Coordinates of all heavy atoms in Angstrom, one line a residue:
V1 N -196.8 -22.2 31.7 CA -197.2 -22.4 30.3 C -196.5 -21.4 29.4 O -196.8 -20.2 29.4 CB -198.8 -22.2 30.2 CG1 -199.3 -22.4 28.8 CG2 -199.5 -23.1 31.2
P2 N -195.4 -21.8 28.8 CA -194.6 -20.9 28.0 C -195.5 -20.3 26.8 O -196.2 -21.0 26.1 CB -193.5 -21.7 27.4 CG -193.5 -22.9 28.3 CD -194.9 -23.2 28.7
R3 N -195.3 -19.0 26.6 CA -195.8 -18.4 25.4 C -195.1 -19.0 24.2 O -193.9 -19.2 24.2 CB -195.6 -16.9 25.4 CG -196.4 -16.1 26.5 CD -196.0 -14.7 26.6 NE -196.8 -13.9 27.5 CZ -197.8 -13.2 27.2 NH1 -198.2 -13.1 25.9 NH2 -198.5 -12.5 28.1
Q4 N -195.9 -19.1 23.1 CA -195.3 -19.7 21.9 C -195.5 -18.8 20.6 O -196.6 -18.2 20.5 CB -195.9 -21.1 21.6 CG -195.6 -22.1 22.7 CD -196.1 -23.4 22.4 OE1 -196.0 -23.9 21.3 NE2 -196.6 -24.1 23.4
K5 N -194.5 -18.7 19.8 CA -194.6 -17.9 18.6 C -195.7 -18.3 17.7 O -196.4 -17.5 17.1 CB -193.2 -17.9 17.9 CG -193.2 -17.1 16.7 CD -191.9 -17.1 15.9 CE -192.1 -16.1 14.7 NZ -191.0 -16.1 13.9
K6 N -195.9 -19.7 17.5 CA -196.9 -20.1 16.5 C -198.3 -19.7 16.9 O -199.2 -19.7 16.0 CB -196.8 -21.7 16.4 CG -197.3 -22.5 17.6 CD -197.2 -24.0 17.3 CE -197.6 -24.8 18.5 NZ -197.4 -26.2 18.3
F7 N -198.5 -19.3 18.1 CA -199.8 -18.8 18.5 C -199.8 -17.2 18.6 O -200.8 -16.7 19.1 CB -200.3 -19.4 19.9 CG -200.4 -20.9 19.9 CD1 -199.5 -21.6 20.6 CD2 -201.4 -21.5 19.1 CE1 -199.6 -23.0 20.6 CE2 -201.5 -22.9 19.1 CZ -200.6 -23.6 19.9
N8 N -198.8 -16.6 18.1 CA -198.6 -15.2 18.2 C -198.6 -14.6 19.6 O -199.1 -13.5 19.9 CB -199.6 -14.4 17.3 CG -199.5 -14.8 15.9 OD1 -198.4 -14.7 15.4 ND2 -200.6 -15.1 15.2
E9 N -198.1 -15.4 20.5 CA -198.0 -15.0 22.0 C -196.7 -14.3 22.3 O -196.6 -13.7 23.4 CB -198.2 -16.3 22.8 CG -199.6 -16.9 22.6 CD -199.7 -18.4 23.1 OE1 -198.6 -19.0 23.5 OE2 -200.8 -18.9 23.2
H10 N -195.7 -14.5 21.4 CA -194.4 -13.9 21.7 C -193.7 -13.8 20.3 O -194.1 -14.4 19.3 CB -193.6 -14.7 22.7 CG -192.8 -13.8 23.6 ND1 -192.0 -12.8 23.2 CD2 -192.8 -13.7 25.0 CE1 -191.4 -12.2 24.2 NE2 -191.9 -12.7 25.3
V11 N -192.6 -13.1 20.3 CA -191.8 -12.9 19.1 C -191.0 -14.1 18.7 O -190.6 -14.2 17.5 CB -190.9 -11.6 19.2 CG1 -191.8 -10.4 19.4 CG2 -189.9 -11.8 20.3
N12 N -190.7 -15.0 19.6 CA -190.0 -16.2 19.4 C -190.4 -17.2 20.4 O -191.2 -17.0 21.3 CB -188.5 -16.0 19.3 CG -187.9 -15.4 20.5 OD1 -188.4 -15.7 21.6 ND2 -186.9 -14.5 20.4
D13 N -189.7 -18.4 20.4 CA -190.0 -19.4 21.4 C -189.0 -19.5 22.6 O -188.8 -20.6 23.1 CB -190.1 -20.8 20.7 CG -191.4 -20.9 19.9 OD1 -192.4 -20.3 20.3 OD2 -191.4 -21.6 18.9
H14 N -188.4 -18.4 22.9 CA -187.4 -18.4 24.0 C -188.0 -18.9 25.3 O -187.3 -19.7 26.1 CB -186.7 -17.1 24.2 CG -187.6 -16.0 24.8 ND1 -188.5 -15.3 24.1 CD2 -187.7 -15.6 26.1 CE1 -189.1 -14.5 24.9 NE2 -188.7 -14.6 26.1
Q15 N -189.2 -18.6 25.6 CA -189.9 -19.1 26.9 C -190.0 -20.6 26.9 O -189.7 -21.3 27.8 CB -191.2 -18.5 27.1 CG -191.2 -17.0 27.5 CD -192.6 -16.6 28.0 OE1 -193.6 -17.3 28.0 NE2 -192.6 -15.3 28.4
L16 N -190.4 -21.1 25.7 CA -190.5 -22.6 25.6 C -189.2 -23.3 25.8 O -189.1 -24.3 26.6 CB -191.1 -22.9 24.2 CG -191.5 -24.3 23.9 CD1 -192.5 -24.9 24.8 CD2 -191.9 -24.4 22.4
F17 N -188.1 -22.8 25.1 CA -186.8 -23.5 25.1 C -186.2 -23.3 26.5 O -185.7 -24.3 27.1 CB -185.9 -22.9 24.1 CG -186.4 -23.1 22.7 CD1 -186.2 -22.0 21.8 CD2 -187.0 -24.3 22.3 CE1 -186.7 -22.2 20.5 CE2 -187.4 -24.4 21.0 CZ -187.3 -23.4 20.1
F18 N -186.4 -22.2 27.1 CA -185.8 -21.9 28.5 C -186.5 -22.8 29.5 O -185.8 -23.4 30.3 CB -186.0 -20.4 28.8 CG -185.5 -20.0 30.1 CD1 -184.1 -20.1 30.4 CD2 -186.3 -19.6 31.1 CE1 -183.6 -19.7 31.6 CE2 -185.8 -19.2 32.4 CZ -184.4 -19.3 32.6
C19 N -187.8 -22.9 29.5 CA -188.6 -23.7 30.4 C -188.3 -25.2 30.3 O -188.1 -25.9 31.3 CB -190.1 -23.4 30.3 SG -190.5 -21.8 30.9
R20 N -188.2 -25.6 29.0 CA -187.8 -27.0 28.8 C -186.4 -27.4 29.4 O -186.3 -28.4 30.0 CB -187.8 -27.3 27.3 CG -189.1 -27.5 26.7 CD -188.9 -27.8 25.2 NE -190.2 -28.0 24.5 CZ -190.3 -27.9 23.2 NH1 -189.2 -27.6 22.4 NH2 -191.4 -28.1 22.6
E21 N -185.5 -26.5 29.2 CA -184.1 -26.7 29.7 C -184.1 -26.7 31.3 O -183.5 -27.5 31.9 CB -183.2 -25.6 29.2 CG -181.7 -25.8 29.6 CD -181.1 -27.0 29.0 OE1 -181.5 -27.6 28.0 OE2 -180.1 -27.5 29.7
L22 N -184.9 -25.7 31.9 CA -184.9 -25.7 33.3 C -185.5 -27.0 33.9 O -185.0 -27.6 34.8 CB -185.7 -24.5 33.8 CG -185.1 -23.2 33.7 CD1 -186.0 -22.1 34.1 CD2 -183.7 -23.1 34.4
H23 N -186.6 -27.4 33.2 CA -187.2 -28.7 33.7 C -186.3 -29.9 33.5 O -186.2 -30.7 34.4 CB -188.5 -28.9 32.9 CG -189.3 -30.1 33.3 ND1 -189.9 -30.2 34.5 CD2 -189.5 -31.3 32.7 CE1 -190.5 -31.4 34.6 NE2 -190.2 -32.1 33.5
K24 N -185.6 -29.9 32.4 CA -184.6 -31.0 32.2 C -183.5 -31.0 33.2 O -183.1 -32.1 33.6 CB -184.0 -30.8 30.8 CG -183.1 -32.0 30.3 CD -182.7 -31.8 28.9 CE -181.4 -30.9 28.8 NZ -180.9 -30.8 27.5
R25 N -183.2 -29.9 33.7 CA -182.1 -29.8 34.7 C -182.6 -29.9 36.2 O -181.9 -29.8 37.1 CB -181.4 -28.4 34.6 CG -180.6 -28.3 33.4 CD -179.9 -27.0 33.3 NE -179.2 -26.9 32.0 CZ -178.1 -26.2 31.9 NH1 -177.5 -25.6 32.9 NH2 -177.5 -26.1 30.7
G26 N -183.9 -30.2 36.3 CA -184.5 -30.5 37.6 C -185.1 -29.3 38.3 O -185.4 -29.4 39.5
F27 N -185.2 -28.2 37.6 CA -185.8 -27.0 38.3 C -187.2 -27.3 38.6 O -187.9 -27.9 37.8 CB -185.7 -25.8 37.3 CG -185.7 -24.5 38.0 CD1 -184.5 -24.0 38.6 CD2 -186.8 -23.7 38.0 CE1 -184.5 -22.8 39.2 CE2 -186.8 -22.5 38.6 CZ -185.6 -22.0 39.2
P28 N -187.7 -27.0 39.8 CA -189.0 -27.4 40.3 C -190.2 -26.6 39.7 O -190.9 -25.8 40.3 CB -188.9 -27.2 41.8 CG -188.0 -26.0 41.9 CD -187.0 -26.2 40.8
I29 N -190.4 -26.8 38.4 CA -191.5 -26.2 37.7 C -192.2 -27.3 36.9 O -191.6 -28.3 36.5 CB -191.1 -25.0 36.7 CG1 -190.1 -25.5 35.7 CG2 -190.6 -23.9 37.5 CD1 -189.8 -24.4 34.6
K30 N -193.5 -27.2 36.7 CA -194.3 -28.1 35.9 C -194.5 -27.4 34.6 O -195.3 -26.4 34.5 CB -195.6 -28.5 36.6 CG -196.5 -29.4 35.8 CD -195.9 -30.8 35.9 CE -196.9 -31.8 35.2 NZ -196.2 -33.0 34.9
V31 N -193.9 -27.8 33.5 CA -194.0 -27.2 32.2 C -195.2 -27.8 31.4 O -195.2 -29.0 31.2 CB -192.7 -27.3 31.4 CG1 -192.9 -26.5 30.0 CG2 -191.5 -26.7 32.2
V32 N -196.1 -27.0 30.9 CA -197.2 -27.4 30.2 C -197.2 -26.6 28.8 O -197.3 -25.4 28.8 CB -198.6 -27.1 30.9 CG1 -199.8 -27.4 30.1 CG2 -198.6 -27.9 32.2
E33 N -197.2 -27.4 27.7 CA -197.0 -26.8 26.4 C -198.3 -26.7 25.7 O -198.4 -26.0 24.7 CB -196.0 -27.5 25.6 CG -194.6 -27.5 26.2 CD -193.6 -28.2 25.4 OE1 -193.8 -28.3 24.1 OE2 -192.5 -28.6 25.9
D34 N -199.4 -27.5 26.1 CA -200.6 -27.4 25.3 C -201.8 -27.5 26.3 O -201.7 -27.9 27.4 CB -200.6 -28.6 24.3 CG -200.6 -29.9 25.0 OD1 -201.6 -30.4 25.5 OD2 -199.5 -30.5 25.1
E35 N -202.9 -27.1 25.7 CA -204.1 -27.0 26.5 C -204.6 -28.3 27.0 O -205.1 -28.4 28.1 CB -205.3 -26.3 25.7 CG -205.0 -25.0 25.1 CD -204.3 -25.0 23.7 OE1 -203.1 -25.3 23.7 OE2 -204.9 -24.8 22.7
G36 N -204.5 -29.4 26.2 CA -204.9 -30.7 26.7 C -204.2 -31.1 27.9 O -204.8 -31.7 28.8
S37 N -202.9 -30.9 28.0 CA -202.2 -31.2 29.2 C -202.7 -30.4 30.4 O -202.7 -31.0 31.5 CB -200.7 -31.0 29.0 OG -200.2 -31.8 28.0
L38 N -203.0 -29.2 30.2 CA -203.5 -28.4 31.3 C -204.9 -28.9 31.8 O -205.1 -29.0 33.0 CB -203.7 -26.9 30.8 CG -203.8 -25.9 31.9 CD1 -202.6 -26.0 32.9 CD2 -203.8 -24.5 31.3
Y39 N -205.7 -29.4 30.9 CA -207.0 -30.0 31.3 C -206.7 -31.2 32.1 O -207.3 -31.4 33.2 CB -207.8 -30.5 30.0 CG -208.8 -29.4 29.5 CD1 -208.4 -28.5 28.5 CD2 -210.1 -29.4 29.9 CE1 -209.3 -27.6 28.0 CE2 -211.0 -28.5 29.4 CZ -210.6 -27.6 28.5 OH -211.4 -26.7 27.9
N40 N -205.7 -32.0 31.7 CA -205.4 -33.3 32.4 C -204.9 -33.0 33.8 O -205.3 -33.6 34.8 CB -204.4 -34.1 31.6 CG -205.1 -34.7 30.4 OD1 -206.3 -34.9 30.3 ND2 -204.3 -35.0 29.4
I41 N -203.9 -32.0 33.9 CA -203.3 -31.7 35.2 C -204.3 -31.2 36.1 O -204.4 -31.6 37.3 CB -202.2 -30.7 35.0 CG1 -201.0 -31.4 34.3 CG2 -201.8 -30.1 36.3 CD1 -199.9 -30.4 33.8
L42 N -205.2 -30.3 35.7 CA -206.2 -29.6 36.6 C -207.4 -30.5 36.8 O -208.1 -30.3 37.8 CB -206.6 -28.3 36.1 CG -205.4 -27.2 36.0 CD1 -205.9 -26.0 35.3 CD2 -204.9 -26.9 37.4
G43 N -207.6 -31.5 36.0 CA -208.8 -32.3 36.1 C -208.7 -33.5 37.0 O -209.6 -34.0 37.6

């Protein structure tokens, strides 16, 4: 779950961009950007 600037969790969105890119390249991580998706995955 990348920290996001819009929620004042980090100074910029580098975690978000980095994780999206890794996922796009097939890196074995499950990227979750919002709380609703986390509910769905864990539910």
